[in-house]
Amino acid sequence: MQTGDAGLVAAGYCLYSATTVLVVTMGSGVDGFTLDPDKGVFLHTHEDIRIPKTGPIYSFNEANFRDFSNPVKKFLVSLKEGTSPSAVTSRSSARYVGALVADVHNVLINGGIYGYPATRSNADGKLRLLYECCPMAMIMEEAGGAASTGTGRILAIKPTEIHQRVPTFLGSIENVFELDQFHQYYDDEDSEMID
């Protein structure tokens, strides 16, 4: 097995909603195609998708907040309180559908950060590196965004098993960089634990 940097040549997803959108990268930018149901063809509707450098959206399953690590908790609190340096407005806006593709697509188009962090019961996260995290990471990075585990790039991880899971943070480069800084600065055993 090899890292995403070395092994991925293309990535994509299909989003089914009011319209059907296909987003793909072949390693040189990201493009979106929308299905024309009358003609039965995909039209090239989103050329060279670029994620904003920072965005107002955060997409985390906050039902698990108490089980997140302290750095993730502190990051989310800073977004909610408007003290986050990467916040576009005074406070960020929570948008969580609960579907990886829908949540990541919203962040890709509008900017912000999607997170599926490790929890007490899932110390390695829940998303699978090879077929969930790496493809989405490639799309984000090709669109000018970032993809991290909180401690390093997702595409730099050399898999040790097929169904390996990793904590996952995808989105605007400044939002993801800020989250990484929280992991570097705050220890999970910090004396100011947030519950």
Side-chain angles (χ1 to χ4, degrees):
M1 289 191 269
Q2 50 192 323
T3 66
D5 282 334
L8 279 177
V9 295
Y13 61 80
C14 200
L15 176 66
Y16 302 97
S17 61
T19 59
T20 301
V21 178
L22 173 67
V23 175
V24 297
T25 181
M26 303 292 269
S28 58
V30 178
D31 289 283
F33 302 85
T34 304
L35 178 65
D36 180 337
D38 295 330
K39 295 181 181 174
V41 297
F42 280 91
L43 305 174
H44 193 186
T45 53
H46 298 81
E47 189 171 337
D48 192 27
I49 298 171
R50 305 299 296 168
I51 186 170
K53 289 186 180 197
T54 187
I57 295 169
Y58 69 96
S59 185
F60 287 69
N61 182 356
E62 292 192 81
N64 295 324
F65 182 85
R66 293 179 65 87
D67 293 328
F68 292 158
S69 67
N70 207 38
V72 173
K73 288 179 186 177
K74 286 181 179 277
F75 174 73
L76 290 173
V77 168
S78 77
L79 291 176
K80 293 176 200 176
E81 292 178 349
T83 58
S84 164
S86 69
V88 174
T89 59
S90 61
R91 289 187 306 176
S92 295
S93 180
R95 296 285 181 266
Y96 183 74
V97 174
L100 173 66
V101 170
D103 288 324
V104 170
H105 184 75
N106 191 26
V107 168
L108 177 66
I109 300 302
N110 298 301
I113 186 168
Y114 168 85
Y116 208 122
T119 61
R120 290 178 188 160
S121 59
N122 295 294
D124 294 325
K126 291 268 303 211
L127 298 179
R128 275 67 55 118
L129 175 65
L130 287 177
Y131 45 91
E132 291 172 320
C133 303
C134 279
M136 289 301 192
M138 182 179 186
I139 290 167
M140 277 297 167
E141 289 191 7
E142 285 294 324
S148 173
T149 62
T151 58
R153 286 180 62 240
I154 288 173
L155 291 176
I157 299 171
K158 184 170 173 66
T160 56
E161 57 184 89
I162 298 223
H163 303 294
Q164 179 178 347
R165 298 171 189 265
V166 295
T168 304
F169 304 98
L170 308 163
S172 297
I173 197 160
E174 291 181 20
N175 296 85
V176 175
F177 176 76
E178 182 182 2
L179 177 114
D180 287 350
Q181 294 299 303
F182 272 72
H183 276 93
Q184 289 179 7
Y185 184 74
Y186 296 107
D187 189 319
D188 200 33
E189 301 301 321
D190 195 300
S191 59
E192 296 178 38
M193 285 296 285
I194 299 173
D195 283 323

